Amino acid sequence: MTAIAVTDSSEPGLLTRAHWAVTDTLTITRRNLLVWLRVPAYIMFTVIQPVMFVLLFRYVFGGAIRVPDKGGYVNFLMPGIIAQTAAFATFGTAIALAQELQKGVIDRLRSMPMARSAVLAGRLVADTGRMLITTLIVIGVGYAVGFRFENGIVAAVAMVVLATVFGLAVCCISAYTGLAIGDEESVQAFGMVWLFPITFLSSAFVPIQSMPGWLQAFARNQPVTYVIDAMRALAGGGPVWPSLWKSIVWLAGILIVFAPLAVRAYKRAS
Amino acid sequence: MAHSQSGGPAILVEGLVKSFGEVRALRGIDLSVPRGTVLGVLGPNGAGKTTAVRILTTLLRPDGGRALVEGRDVVREAAAVRRSIGLAGQSAAIQLELTGRENLEIIGRLYHLSWPRARSRAIELLRQFELTDAADRAAKNFSGGMQRRLDLAASLVGQPKVLFLDEPTTGLDPRSRLAMWDTIRSLVAGGTTLLLTTQYMDEADELADQIVVIDHGEVIAAGTAEELKGRVGGDIVEFTVPDRARVGDAVAAIATIGEGEPHADAETGVVSVGVGGQGSDALIEVVRGLDKADVQTHGLTLRRPSLDDVFLALTGHAAEEEEADQPAGRRGRRKAKSKAADKETARTAS
Ligand SMILES: Nc1ncnc2c1ncn2[C@@H]1O[C@H](COP(=O)(O)OP(=O)(O)OP(=O)(O)O)[C@@H](O)[C@H]1O
Ligand SMILES: [Mg+2]
């Protein structure tokens, strides 16, 4: 063993610290993606499950659900599936953080001279990246079963970007719940309680007009619906702006509220 | 502020106080650990050991008092403290899906070592902890002892001057426990300052230069292992009286033997007495006394003092007694653990 200590008691400069914030985030991102690749169940949840959803909704429910959209149900369905997949992927965010908290991994990292922001930032980068991969796979499968972008390449890319930002926002909420609740099973149960209603009580899978009146009031005015409607307009044509600006306001609001909350929960984690 | 970086103790704690709502986890703890020495913090479940470690490793803010590590304040100079410490917490904080090597390389990168340096440091540590053969297996396939060793290796990646180990052998089988003791001893031989918490008297005895006993967030005794055991009265003769009605007779029969008053638990029928260095002579006297009084007993043993005995001597109650407010699960775990420790004592004594 070498006798030279790697630790140094002098305070590193601002530039060094900024550099470390980036490299530490990348190290944590890399670690999280490695873990993800090693667990077959995670691949199952993030790739196979959404593909199954596309096929099931397309062929089982698709015949029964009437939609006004050009291109029929599959074009209506795809933006909904993508948003739902992105939202559900954040189950993994919350659970992983709760596990790390319980196992003492976060304690170890917080006792090290690494960048304080890196654990959360690395988690968000890895999970958002994972989400993007899933989205692209789902779009590929969608294409195989009849889905088409009808509005040009720029709008198509914009739809993917919107889906990703939406996923990031939900990821922040999940990261906060994971760190604040801290117990794996409770986190999972709590995830069910808000993620299921917020995605299914939206325009994701069926036209809102087909819901009972009291549900319509909720479904019509909640952010997941705005995001999905904007994605639908970007993918299939039609007026984009009315739903897009509401989406942007909501997503910005969620990020402004929940990103600091998650950071605070991380700093306080015990 | 006098930061005597070179001269002062590695760890200095003064009047440390921490509460969690109603629970007063630490009620004013003082500690001083000279450089290159080992402090054993001994205490039962809920004593406040982990709380103290978490404050010293900058994870938790104290409500009052102050703590310096290598002359740096753990609250105001937390970043500097983090550069000089290593922590292995109460559970193995390793990524089970990753290999031993990957775990250590990632920690190395987070200590801002270059890739080649992180790699070679991982190899060094794997060798030092005898994990080379398992280096490329996922940590989830490691035995409990191997996971603990990997966790300890991870705490050393940054070559800390001060190392904190929170119950490093809890949950290990006796053999892995002895191996872990060897590992810790060789670390300390390298000059690292170590603060170690434990629930086992024999562990503190084996590894620590100085021991502090804490209970309910307070230091109730401090000294070397020998000094503490001196207060218990050396070895202990213990037996069980199956007929609870005769516990009193048993105590009377042996009252003149040994150094202190015999302790009797009316509920379990367990009677114990400190016999100093008289050992087997005292054992024979106890047998004679009980025989004369015609008291039936079983499980008569002569053993070295355990944490429970130290507690009994220091506080007049067993370590687990006052924990009636704790959930049953925790008390159960504590009992199971101290039994394992006794067995171990018997083993090493023979
Ligand atoms: N985060 C927390 N929130 C609330 N109470 C806590 C918290 N951490 C510790 N406590 C309480 O503080 C007291 C001291 O706990 P601590 O974990 O320091 O004990 P310990 O000596 O490490 O015990 P063990 O041997 O079980 O690890 C206990 O009563 C515990 O329940
Ligand atoms: Mg503890």
Side-chain angles (χ1 to χ4, degrees):
Chain A
M1 226 170 74
T2 41
I4 306 149
V6 283
T7 52
D8 176 9
S9 55
S10 62
E11 207 67 40
L14 195 65
L15 215 63
T16 313
R17 289 217 304 273
H19 175 68
W20 284 348
V22 175
T23 55
D24 291 353
T25 299
L26 291 178
T27 305
I28 296 285
T29 304
R30 186 173 169 279
R31 178 195 71 156
N32 293 346
L33 291 175
L34 264 179
V35 169
W36 178 61
L37 286 174
R38 298 286 160 79
V39 184
Y42 293 169
I43 302 196
M44 160 75 203
F45 280 123
T46 46
V47 178
I48 302 186
Q49 185 177 295
V51 168
M52 260 167 47
F53 264 58
V54 173
L55 299 178
L56 283 175
F57 274 92
R58 164 78 176 85
Y59 290 110
V60 179
F61 304 113
I65 302 170
R66 293 274 152 260
V67 294
D69 290 50
K70 183 168 79 166
Y73 185 64
V74 71
N75 273 11
F76 177 86
L77 173 69
M78 287 309 292
I81 290 268
I82 289 167
Q84 186 251 8
T85 303
F88 273 39
T90 69
F91 258 112
T93 310
I95 291 169
L97 284 171
Q99 277 176 346
E100 288 180 355
L101 201 58
Q102 261 175 337
K103 283 198 304 181
V105 173
I106 289 191
D107 267 4
R108 154 148 304 141
L109 297 176
R110 285 174 63 223
S111 77
M112 288 169 42
M114 59 179 281
R116 303 290 267 170
S117 55
V119 174
L120 266 179
R123 169 66 54 196
L124 294 182
V125 172
D127 288 358
T128 309
R130 205 172 44 127
M131 221 176 267
L132 183 61
I133 294 169
T134 309
T135 302
L136 297 178
I137 293 173
V138 168
I139 291 175
V141 173
Y143 254 77
V145 298
F147 167 73
R148 293 293 177 270
F149 283 111
E150 309 277 3
N151 206 10
I153 181 80
V154 175
V157 170
M159 187 208 82
V160 173
V161 170
L162 178 59
T164 308
V165 176
F166 168 71
L168 179 67
V170 184
C171 218
C172 282
I173 303 178
S174 283
Y176 170 64
T177 65
L179 289 168
I181 300 174
D183 164 69
E184 194 186 332
E185 272 143 39
S186 313
V187 164
Q188 199 154 4
F190 185 71
M192 294 278 183
V193 171
W194 71 276
L195 278 171
F196 263 94
I198 202 167
T199 48
F200 279 86
L201 302 182
S202 74
S203 64
F205 303 109
V206 295
I208 289 180
Q209 303 87 286
S210 69
M211 297 179 187
W214 55 274
L215 257 186
Q216 284 193 25
F218 173 78
R220 219 179 276 288
N221 297 300
Q222 64 121 325
V224 179
T225 294
Y226 296 146
V227 170
I228 292 172
D229 288 352
M231 285 168 64
R232 234 169 235 149
L234 286 165
V240 172
W241 197 239
S243 46
L244 186 60
W245 77 259
K246 285 183 198 146
S247 305
I248 291 171
V249 170
W250 265 99
L251 296 181
I254 291 172
L255 286 169
I256 288 167
V257 172
F258 282 93
L261 277 178
V263 170
R264 209 179 59 152
Y266 173 75
K267 283 193 179 147
R268 286 194 175 175
S270 60
Chain B
M1 250 179 338
H3 282 158
S4 43
Q5 295 275 350
S6 48
I11 303 172
L12 183 68
V13 172
E14 286 170 346
L16 208 58
V17 174
K18 178 73 193 179
S19 296
F20 298 103
E22 296 284 279
V23 182
R24 293 169 66 202
L26 295 179
R27 311 182 188 207
I29 296 248
D30 300 314
L31 300 173
S32 173
V33 188
R35 272 155 221 259
T37 69
V38 180
L39 177 74
V41 176
L42 189 61
N45 276 141
K49 303 183 295 297
T50 300
T51 305
V53 167
R54 299 191 76 232
I55 290 174
L56 285 168
T57 51
T58 77
L59 300 176
L60 208 58
R61 271 169 165 272
D63 298 336
R66 63 174 199 151
L68 306 183
V69 175
E70 287 284 315
R72 306 294 197 126
D73 189 289
V74 296
V75 177
R76 273 172 298 126
E77 300 167 284
V81 169
R82 282 183 210 120
R83 283 194 292 274
S84 59
I85 61 170
L87 165 69
Q90 206 166 336
S91 53
I94 49 180
Q95 207 70 50
L96 294 176
E97 296 83 3
L98 303 183
T99 67
R101 189 193 305 277
E102 287 165 343
N103 267 286
L104 296 180
E105 283 174 358
I106 286 165
I107 299 284
R109 288 293 291 157
L110 294 174
Y111 270 105
H112 309 123
L113 305 182
S114 65
W115 261 116
R117 186 72 194 101
R119 265 188 216 113
S120 62
R121 185 80 184 119
I123 291 169
E124 264 168 41
L125 286 164
L126 288 165
R127 193 183 309 129
Q128 191 186 342
F129 287 86
E130 288 167 34
L131 291 167
T132 306
D133 292 340
D136 296 309
R137 280 185 3 224
K140 64 167 179 278
N141 300 325
F142 284 18
S143 69
M146 287 161 76
Q147 290 185 354
R148 274 285 180 177
R149 293 211 302 278
L150 181 59
D151 189 48
L152 186 53
S155 73
L156 293 171
V157 170
Q159 295 175 327
K161 298 191 187 104
V162 184
L163 184 61
F164 294 87
L165 304 181
D166 196 2
E167 301 196 26
T169 66
T170 298
L172 294 187
D173 60 55
R175 213 174 63 91
S176 316
R177 218 168 145 238
L178 292 178
M180 183 58 93
W181 285 359
D182 280 338
T183 310
I184 292 172
R185 264 191 290 260
S186 63
L187 278 180
V188 173
T192 311
T193 307
L194 171 62
L195 186 152
L196 154 113
T197 77
T198 180
Q199 303 197 26
Y200 307 123
M201 180 67 199
D202 59 337
E203 184 158 294
D205 192 358
E206 284 287 334
L207 300 174
D209 300 309
Q210 290 283 318
I211 297 174
V212 299
V213 182
I214 63 173
D215 188 23
H216 297 292
E218 279 171 324
V219 175
I220 58 170
T224 64
E226 288 316 309
E227 283 163 7
L228 291 179
K229 276 192 277 181
R231 294 172 71 169
V232 184
D235 289 349
I236 285 167
V237 172
E238 187 176 84
F239 54 84
T240 306
V241 181
D243 181 0
R244 304 284 183 273
R246 304 224 50 203
V247 170
D249 296 337
V251 170
I254 60 165
T256 57
I257 306 166
E259 314 226 307
E261 291 272 298
H263 283 283
D265 186 331
E267 207 177 300
T268 59
V270 175
V271 180
S272 63
V273 61
V275 297
Q278 300 165 31
S280 45
D281 290 344
L283 190 60
I284 293 167
E285 276 184 66
V286 168
V287 173
R288 285 210 185 105
L290 290 171
D291 193 39
K292 214 152 88 192
D294 197 25
V295 179
Q296 298 283 318
T297 65
H298 63 69
L300 181 68
T301 51
L302 173 69
R303 57 174 178 79
R304 290 169 63 201
S306 67
L307 170 62
D308 286 330
D309 303 311
V310 173
F311 259 82
L312 211 53
L314 292 173
T315 65
H317 65 82
E320 63 258 41
E321 247 172 39
E322 271 205 8
E323 287 185 66
D325 53 327
Q326 299 276 358
R330 289 188 67 139
R331 270 183 291 153
R333 186 160 72 88
R334 153 103 194 90
K335 276 193 184 149
K337 271 198 270 187
S338 63
K339 264 189 207 122
D342 292 347
K343 231 185 283 161
E344 189 57 35
T345 317
R347 246 177 57 109
T348 31
S350 60

